[in-house]
């Protein structure tokens, strides 16, 4: 039971808003020492864990590139592109991105989409530009709503699309858990096939919500206009 004190260290560290890397490291040391591990064994566990999940740190290389591209006008170019396409609407852009995100996630291309590399620099600015072309200058609350919906579109598309790919970590985790806990051999292909109906339902529901965004924005803008006139 003493090894669980490492969790308490994590909770306390985050509550005090300490450096997350320092908190996790200290928690790992506490857990290892209380579990009877030697300093060498603790160090070996840290090294093994890092080597097994080193791909997680790839975002450290991606974020500076995205920041540099944004600084040189990527968002402005995205807005300019949308402003030239009169038929594109906010709902249409979000629905199109949702389909793209879910399809690419279903074939294992998770890194194509994402909040940092796609939603912030491209999808959200394009969706806002379509709304600005239609309604004019947007209230801040409406802009934030569009950005939030763009982020949720990415989340839903990735969440329900990735389980269709048999080699994704979530599918492998499900099959290994069922195998070790219940002694039932569950093939990844079975999980992937049963994920297809769920993904289709998610596509219909969230796709309809995306297309309904234009109507919701019209209502939101109408609610703000009387307030602005009164001011």
């Amino acid at each position: 039971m003493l090894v669980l004190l490492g969790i308490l260290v994590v909770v306390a560290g985050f509550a005090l808003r300490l450096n997350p890397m320092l908190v996790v490291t200290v928690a790992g040391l506490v857990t290892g020492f209380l579990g009877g591990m030697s300093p060498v064994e603790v160090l070996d566990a840290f090294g093994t864990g890092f080597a097994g999940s080193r791909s997680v740190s790839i975002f450290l290389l991606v974020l500076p590139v995205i920041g540099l591209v944004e600084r040189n006008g990527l968002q402005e170019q995205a807005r300019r592109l949308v402003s030239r396409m009169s038929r594109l609407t906010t709902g249409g852009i979000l629905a199109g991105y949702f389909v793209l995100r879910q399809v690419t996630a279903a074939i294992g291309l998770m890194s194509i989409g994402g909040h940092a590399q796609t939603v912030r620099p491209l999808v959200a600015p394009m969706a806002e530009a379509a709304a600005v072309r239609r309604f004019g200058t947007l209230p801040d609350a409406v802009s934030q709503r569009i950005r939030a919906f763009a982020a949720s579109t990415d989340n839903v598309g990735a969440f329900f699309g990735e389980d269709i790919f048999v080699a994704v970590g979530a599918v492998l985790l499900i099959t290994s858990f069922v195998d070790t806990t219940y002694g039932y051999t569950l093939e990844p292909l079975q999980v992937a096939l049963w994920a297809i109906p769920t993904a289709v339902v998610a596509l219909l529901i969230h796709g309809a919500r995306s297309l309904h965004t234009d109507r919701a924005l019209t209502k939101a803008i109408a609610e703000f206009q009387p307030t602005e006139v009164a001011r």
Side-chain angles (χ1 to χ4, degrees), residues 47-162:
T48 302
F50 176 78
S53 59
R54 58 185 179 273
S55 60
V56 177
S57 59
I58 292 178
F59 78 94
L60 295 175
L61 301 175
V62 176
L63 288 181
V65 175
I66 296 173
L68 183 62
V69 173
E70 284 191 16
R71 184 178 181 182
N72 286 274
L74 178 62
Q75 292 189 1
E76 287 74 12
Q77 292 298 326
R79 293 190 179 96
R80 188 176 302 172
L81 175 64
V82 172
S83 65
R84 296 175 180 175
M85 300 179 180
S86 58
R87 294 186 179 182
L88 276 181
T89 64
T90 300
I93 292 173
L94 294 177
Y97 176 69
F98 179 75
V99 173
L100 176 65
R101 182 62 164 144
Q102 192 171 51
V103 170
T104 53
I107 58 178
L109 301 177
M110 292 295 297
S111 59
I112 288 182
H115 290 242
Q117 63 267 40
T118 306
V119 175
R120 173 184 164 85
L122 289 174
V123 179
M126 291 174 69
E128 284 188 68
V132 170
R133 189 188 63 241
R134 180 177 179 183
F135 302 107
T137 303
L138 302 176
D140 183 65
V142 175
S143 295
Q144 295 299 329
R145 183 174 182 178
I146 295 174
R147 296 172 189 175
F149 204 88
S152 68
T153 298
D154 184 271
N155 289 342
V156 176
F159 183 83
F160 289 100
E162 65 176 354

